[in-house]
Amino acid sequence: MQAVVVAEPGGEFQVVERDVPDPGPGEVRVAVEACGICHSDAYVKEGTYPGISYPRVPGHEIAGRVDAVGDEVEQWSPGDRVGVGWHGGHCFTCEACRRGNFLQCENGDVTGLTYDGGYAEYATIPAEAVAAVPEDLDAADAAPLLCAGVTTYNALRTSHADPGDLVAVQGVGGLGHLGVQYAHAAGFETVALSHSPDKETLARDLGADHFVNTAEEDPAERLQELGGADVVLATAPVSDAIESVLGGLGTDGRVVVVGVPGEPVSVDAQQLVGTRSGVEGWASGHARDSQDTLEFSSLRDITPEIETYSLDEVDAAYERMIENEARFRVVLEP
C-alpha cells in the first residue's frame, strides 16, 4: 500500500510503500477512502505531542470500509462503512472508563498520533474507536465530520441551550461553518460572528439568522441588543476574539471554547459573577458521539466545505491547511 510517513519530528512528508497491516485481536482494518487533514496533525509533523514514536502515519479523520477484522471483533464485518476520529481507543479499566467517560481515558489512544492513522490506503484501528457511517454520506464529506463535526455538534448538544435560545458561533471557518449549520438545525436563534464581512452570504446560506461583522461592530454589544447569548461557541483560536464576546453573555450564559488559542484567555470576573456566566472548553467525542454526529448530519443534510487531494499532493494539501488558505477543510483521497 501507499502511505504518507513523517520519519522524525520536523521531518518532511514521505510517500512510501508499506505492507498492508494485519488487524490484531480487537482491531479492524479499514480501507481508507478519505482522510481529513487537521491542524492537530502539526503535532505529528513537528513532534510537539508527548510520546509520539516515529516513523508515524498521521491522520485522525478517517472514512472508509472495513476490509478485515481481527479476533474477538463481533460488532464489525468486512464491507461496513466506518469512520474514525481523534479518539482512537480506550482501556475500559481506568476510573474514567469505568464511569463511561471514554474520552478522558487515562490510557487512551489518539488516531494518527499514538498509532498510525489515515494518510494511507489502509489503517488498523481498535474496534471500540470505530463509528458507522450512513450510506448516503460521501466519504470525503464524512471525514471532517469525525473531527470538526463531532467537536462542534457535541459541544452544542451538551450545552444548556434549548431550541429558540440565542446561540452565537464565533468564527466562520473550518469549525465555525459546521457550528452554524448544527446550531440552525438544532433550532437555535443563530448568530454568526466574523471579522470577515465577505463571509456574511455564506453564513446566512448555512443558516445564520444574524451576522455580526466584528471588524466594524462590538460583538458583545450586538449580542446584548439581541437579548444576550445563552451560548457562544468559540471556534476561532484567537484569544482577543474570545475575550470580546464575554460581555455578550446573558444570565447563565456560557462561552464554550473548541478552538484553542495559543495565548491565555483573560476574563472579567465581575462580569461573570454578575451574570452567573462562565467560560468552559469542549473536546471532540468518542466513537458513539461521532456516529451520532454523522447520523444527524445525514438527517439534516449537513456537510463541510472541502478541498480534496491525492496522497501524492500531501505537501500542497497540508500547506493549504496550515496557512489557513483552505475553505474550509482539506481531505486526502488515497
Side-chain angles (χ1 to χ4, degrees):
M1 70 171 186
Q2 278 197 324
V4 175
V5 169
V6 178
E8 60 185 1
E12 299 298 320
F13 290 121
Q14 301 174 31
V15 181
V16 302
E17 287 194 0
R18 281 186 164 187
D19 291 336
V20 175
D22 292 323
E27 293 183 336
V28 301
R29 185 171 67 209
V30 177
V32 180
E33 296 175 357
C35 183
I37 296 181
C38 176
H39 203 280
S40 298
D41 294 344
Y43 289 142
V44 180
K45 186 74 163 56
E46 305 303 329
T48 53
Y49 193 90
I52 299 177
S53 297
Y54 291 87
R56 176 63 71 227
V57 177
H60 61 269
E61 301 178 6
I62 302 171
R65 290 190 182 271
V66 174
D67 175 71
V69 299
D71 294 339
E72 305 170 12
V73 174
E74 298 180 358
Q75 68 268 48
W76 305 108
S77 301
D80 289 344
R81 292 199 77 209
V82 295
V84 187
W86 173 268
H87 179 69
H90 45 271
C91 71
F92 294 97
T93 58
C94 71
E95 186 64 17
C97 284
R98 292 183 66 202
R99 294 184 181 276
N101 192 2
F102 300 130
L103 198 60
Q104 306 305 128
C105 174
E106 298 170 13
N107 308 297
D109 280 315
V110 179
T111 314
L113 276 83
T114 59
Y115 60 81
D116 286 339
Y119 287 24
E121 293 180 308
Y122 294 90
T124 54
I125 308 293
E128 74 272 10
V130 175
V133 176
E135 287 290 342
D136 61 350
L137 266 182
D138 185 81
D141 288 331
L145 298 180
L146 291 151
C147 183
V150 67
T151 296
T152 51
Y153 174 75
N154 228 8
L156 287 171
R157 73 166 177 171
T158 55
S159 75
H160 68 281
D162 294 317
D165 284 350
L166 189 72
V167 171
V169 179
Q170 172 258 338
V172 185
L175 289 165
H177 86 287
L178 289 168
V180 169
Q181 292 182 74
Y182 289 128
H184 170 73
F188 302 137
E189 183 179 354
T190 304
V191 186
L193 308 174
S194 175
H195 70 278
S196 301
D198 62 340
K199 291 183 178 178
E200 179 172 2
T201 299
L202 172 66
R204 292 190 181 278
D205 288 345
L206 295 176
D209 300 293
H210 313 277
F211 181 86
V212 179
N213 174 9
T214 59
E216 300 291 339
E217 296 183 77
D218 184 315
E221 290 182 4
R222 184 69 181 113
L223 289 175
Q224 288 298 341
E225 290 173 2
L226 293 169
D230 293 280
V231 171
V232 178
L233 184 68
T235 72
V238 181
S239 296
D240 290 347
I242 297 173
E243 292 166 4
S244 73
V245 303
L246 293 174
L249 294 174
T251 301
D252 295 325
R254 292 290 185 272
V255 172
V256 182
V257 179
V258 294
V260 183
E263 301 294 330
V265 175
S266 299
V267 301
D268 181 344
Q270 182 173 344
Q271 187 268 330
L272 296 183
V273 170
T275 56
R276 296 192 315 227
S277 56
V279 181
E280 57 192 47
W282 189 268
S284 63
H286 52 64
R288 183 63 244 193
D289 295 325
S290 291
Q291 188 165 322
D292 291 345
T293 301
L294 295 167
E295 290 171 352
F296 185 79
S297 300
S298 174
L299 179 69
R300 290 291 177 254
D301 195 25
I302 294 172
T303 56
E305 300 273 334
I306 63 171
E307 301 176 2
T308 59
Y309 298 83
S310 68
L311 285 183
D312 290 337
E313 299 171 307
V314 63
D315 288 304
Y318 183 83
E319 284 302 311
R320 289 280 293 170
M321 179 280 301
I322 206 72
E323 296 297 331
N324 200 31
E325 295 175 349
R327 191 159 179 167
F328 290 104
R329 307 296 295 189
V330 178
V331 179
L332 295 175
E333 294 183 309

